[in-house]
Amino acid sequence: MKRKSYFTLLVISVFAAVILASCGTTKEVSPKEEVTKESPKEEKKETPKKEPDEPADVRFARKLQEYLDRNDLRGAIAFFAQMPKELEDKIDLKLLLGALYYSDAQYDNAVDVANGVLAIDANNIDAMELLSMCARAKGDKNAYKAAADKILLVDPYNASVNIQKAEDYALNKRYKLALNSYRNALKGDANNTDALFGFAQMSYFLDDDKTAENYLNKVLVLDPKNAPALAYLAKIAYGEENYYRATKLIKQAIEIDSNTYDFWMDYGTYLRYQGKFEEAAKCWEKAVTLDPSYFLAYAYLAGNYDDLGKFDLALENYHKVIETNPKYFYAYESTAILEYHAGNYKNAVAYFSKANSYSSNYSYALMIAASYMKMNDSLNAKKILAAQLKNMEKGSVEYDMVRFFYDTYSRNAEASLKQKIDKELNSNKRGKMLFYMGLYYELMGANEMAVEYYAKVTSMSAPMFFEFRIAEWGMKNESNS
């Protein structure tokens, strides 16, 4: 959509300039007409000259320009009904009308205009481009391909068509093909900022930051206020861990265009990496105001508030993530953990169950069972555990842990399980097992044993399991009880 509006404004301004230039006339002064100095004694009384009537084409173009200056597309289109008869065959005016139709999404009318021009001039590239753009906008792949191929036969380095092809490749993540199409566009128009930016963007996606930076700077030479170019230079600086430069560049982009969601998302990220968590949150909150229906800003806010220990705000934003993107399954686990921490065990069951539906995991089953046990609902706890045991390998430490929660307490089972945990070499698996031993003791009211096992978990370095956080909270709670 952004490219369409940009192209349309370009077409309109170019055509308007052509019309006004072709319609205007300049009168050269001949040597005989040069004014010579007259002596004061010979002063002559000047008679007012009658201004010549403005030609019809100039008058029409000037009035049309007024509509374009106001961006009144409908008014400009309607004004064509007043076109003087002697202008009806002007191809530039026909193409301008077609561009206006295209800009107003009246694609069928634009196609009619383009075909009319081609009936007069079969090789008119502007008309062919208009056809290809209309077909693309309408989603008519066959018509678009036919129109684009016809243009490339006549003009293989046509900037507009090669840019359109590149954008299609990029949408399908075929970045190398997109890069090549942008390269062809630049062969046809070396100073086309769309092509320069596209080439830079594809280079960035292909991890060629040096080339990307080079082409982004070319864009800025031609268009110093190109906000996307500044934003991508910021991304490159961020990748180099130069957060100060990244922040400076994205702020410049935002000064030019403060209504782009991605700019505020990036701004927040760069601030966060400088430890400015509160300022980062304000950036992501701004992104939310720009598009409340998109989940990403909520996810960033949730993680940020979670890190700050503002769990109520984190939970609020995790709920918004799920509301705006129910398929974003990562949010269910985090939401479940915070609901459990808040003592909302019924909600914890719901969210752990949802997480388990996306990724079956014995850990989720144990946390669901623990939540039921916190609500004194041992019947549902056993149902969950029994169902989980059917899908586990007997004799594994994980199976024994789930069985330990399911069965009535057995000293022999406890001793056997502890031995298996002590022999476990995988640190993450061992850490999880230590956590669930602590959780079991907490549920049984054995606070000292719970704190002992939670302490073993929290002493681990770089743990990679979600239960670590619950162990920290559990140790704190049990120590204070």
Side-chain angles (χ1 to χ4, degrees):
M1 188 66 189
K2 288 181 181 177
R3 167 152 170 75
K4 184 186 88 168
S5 59
Y6 173 80
F7 182 86
T8 302
L9 289 173
L10 180 64
V11 169
I12 290 173
S13 62
V14 168
F15 277 128
V18 168
I19 293 165
L20 289 173
S22 64
C23 294
T25 57
T26 57
K27 183 180 178 182
E28 293 186 7
V29 180
S30 67
K32 292 181 180 180
E33 292 175 315
E34 287 185 1
V35 179
T36 58
K37 278 191 176 182
E38 297 179 358
S39 66
K41 295 179 181 179
E42 297 178 347
E43 285 184 5
K44 294 181 180 180
K45 187 176 181 181
E46 294 185 4
T47 57
K49 294 181 180 179
K50 184 180 179 182
E51 292 293 332
D53 290 337
E54 196 170 46
D57 52 359
V58 174
R59 189 165 57 252
F60 178 80
R62 197 179 303 283
K63 181 64 177 177
L64 188 61
Q65 187 66 49
E66 292 177 12
Y67 286 105
L68 300 181
D69 290 342
R70 297 197 300 268
N71 200 28
D72 182 1
L73 301 182
R74 294 286 175 90
I77 290 169
F79 184 63
F80 269 82
Q82 301 178 39
M83 181 192 295
K85 194 167 184 179
E86 61 267 31
L87 302 181
E88 289 178 355
D89 292 332
K90 280 187 171 287
I91 286 181
D92 284 345
L93 284 173
K94 290 178 183 292
L95 288 169
L96 178 52
L97 177 59
L100 290 167
Y101 278 136
Y102 172 80
S103 185
D104 198 42
Q106 298 185 46
Y107 303 124
D108 290 338
N109 287 337
V111 167
D112 289 341
V113 170
N115 285 328
V117 170
L118 291 171
I120 300 168
D121 177 5
N123 292 320
N124 189 289
I125 294 294
D126 292 321
M128 292 181 191
E129 286 184 7
L130 187 56
L131 281 178
S132 72
M133 290 170 58
C134 289
R136 189 177 188 229
K138 292 167 66 176
D140 189 338
K141 294 181 180 179
N142 292 331
Y144 166 63
K145 186 178 185 305
D149 288 346
K150 187 175 180 181
I151 292 170
L152 294 178
L153 280 174
V154 179
D155 180 10
Y157 300 125
N158 180 275
S160 177
V161 172
N162 277 296
I163 288 171
Q164 289 176 47
K165 285 183 67 176
E167 289 174 348
D168 289 339
Y169 285 135
L171 282 174
N172 292 298
K173 298 185 178 180
R174 302 172 72 181
Y175 301 133
K176 289 183 179 179
L177 291 174
L179 188 76
N180 190 54
S181 289
Y182 281 125
R183 183 182 287 112
N184 287 338
L186 289 169
K187 288 178 181 178
D189 182 359
N191 291 325
N192 187 299
T193 53
D194 277 353
L196 287 167
F197 176 77
F199 194 90
Q201 189 181 44
M202 294 308 106
S203 298
Y204 174 81
F205 290 160
L206 293 167
D207 297 322
D208 186 357
D209 288 355
K210 186 175 181 180
T211 298
E213 186 171 8
N214 182 29
Y215 275 79
L216 290 168
N217 284 324
K218 287 182 180 181
V219 172
L220 291 172
V221 168
L222 296 167
D223 180 10
K225 292 190 176 295
N226 191 298
L230 289 165
Y232 266 85
L233 283 174
K235 288 179 185 290
I236 292 171
Y238 167 69
E240 296 170 347
E241 298 184 4
N242 189 341
Y243 306 126
Y244 174 79
R245 174 171 163 76
T247 302
K248 182 179 178 181
L249 286 164
I250 199 63
K251 283 176 69 177
Q252 290 176 25
I254 288 172
E255 286 172 5
I256 297 165
D257 177 6
S258 62
N259 293 318
T260 296
Y261 186 96
D262 289 346
F263 293 175
W264 288 101
M265 294 298 297
D266 287 348
Y267 189 13
T269 298
Y270 307 153
L271 289 171
R272 186 178 185 277
Y273 271 85
Q274 295 174 72
K276 300 177 180 180
F277 301 105
E278 296 291 351
E279 291 179 51
K282 290 179 182 178
C283 292
W284 296 324
E285 286 167 357
K286 172 64 177 179
V288 166
T289 65
L290 292 173
D291 188 356
S293 66
Y294 193 52
F295 78 99
L296 195 58
Y298 297 118
Y300 278 43
L301 282 167
N304 190 57
Y305 286 133
D306 203 343
D307 290 342
L308 291 172
K310 297 182 177 183
F311 301 128
D312 289 346
L313 287 173
L315 196 54
E316 178 184 323
N317 280 281
Y318 277 127
H319 285 157
K320 293 297 291 184
V321 172
I322 292 168
E323 177 187 326
T324 52
N325 188 1
K327 294 182 179 179
Y328 190 71
F329 61 87
Y330 300 105
Y332 291 107
E333 180 184 291
S334 298
T335 307
I337 293 168
L338 291 181
E339 293 284 15
Y340 183 89
H341 174 59
N344 302 326
Y345 300 118
K346 186 175 180 180
N347 289 345
V349 166
Y351 290 113
F352 274 125
S353 297
K354 194 68 176 178
N356 198 45
S357 71
Y358 282 100
S359 176
S360 184
N361 188 326
Y362 76 92
S363 295
Y364 296 148
L366 283 170
M367 289 307 304
I368 293 168
S371 298
Y372 276 126
M373 292 168 77
K374 289 277 190 178
M375 294 186 286
N376 297 314
D377 187 350
S378 58
L379 180 62
N380 273 316
K382 282 189 173 292
K383 284 181 180 179
I384 291 295
L385 295 169
Q388 182 63 39
L389 286 168
K390 291 178 182 179
N391 299 313
M392 300 184 75
E393 180 186 349
K394 290 184 178 181
S396 66
V397 66
E398 294 90 348
Y399 178 90
D400 288 353
M401 180 60 74
V402 175
R403 187 68 184 262
F404 188 57
F405 270 71
Y406 177 80
D407 288 337
T408 304
Y409 173 76
S410 165
R411 185 178 293 276
N412 289 335
E414 179 185 36
S416 175
L417 183 55
K418 286 182 177 180
Q419 286 181 352
K420 282 191 174 184
I421 294 172
D422 290 339
K423 292 178 181 178
E424 179 57 57
L425 298 178
N426 183 294
S427 62
N428 275 327
K429 185 186 290 188
R430 185 171 182 274
K432 287 168 73 76
M433 294 301 106
L434 290 171
F435 165 76
Y436 285 111
M437 286 300 297
L439 180 60
Y440 178 85
Y441 289 128
E442 179 190 334
L443 293 169
M444 296 299 108
N447 293 348
E448 290 185 6
M449 291 295 289
V451 170
E452 178 184 334
Y453 275 88
Y454 286 151
K456 290 179 181 180
V457 177
T458 56
S459 67
M460 295 179 66
S461 61
M464 299 293 290
F465 49 92
F466 74 80
E467 294 91 343
F468 179 84
R469 300 186 66 200
I470 304 175
E472 287 184 313
W473 296 330
M475 187 171 72
K476 182 179 179 180
N477 292 338
E478 295 305 317
S479 297
N480 294 333
S481 62

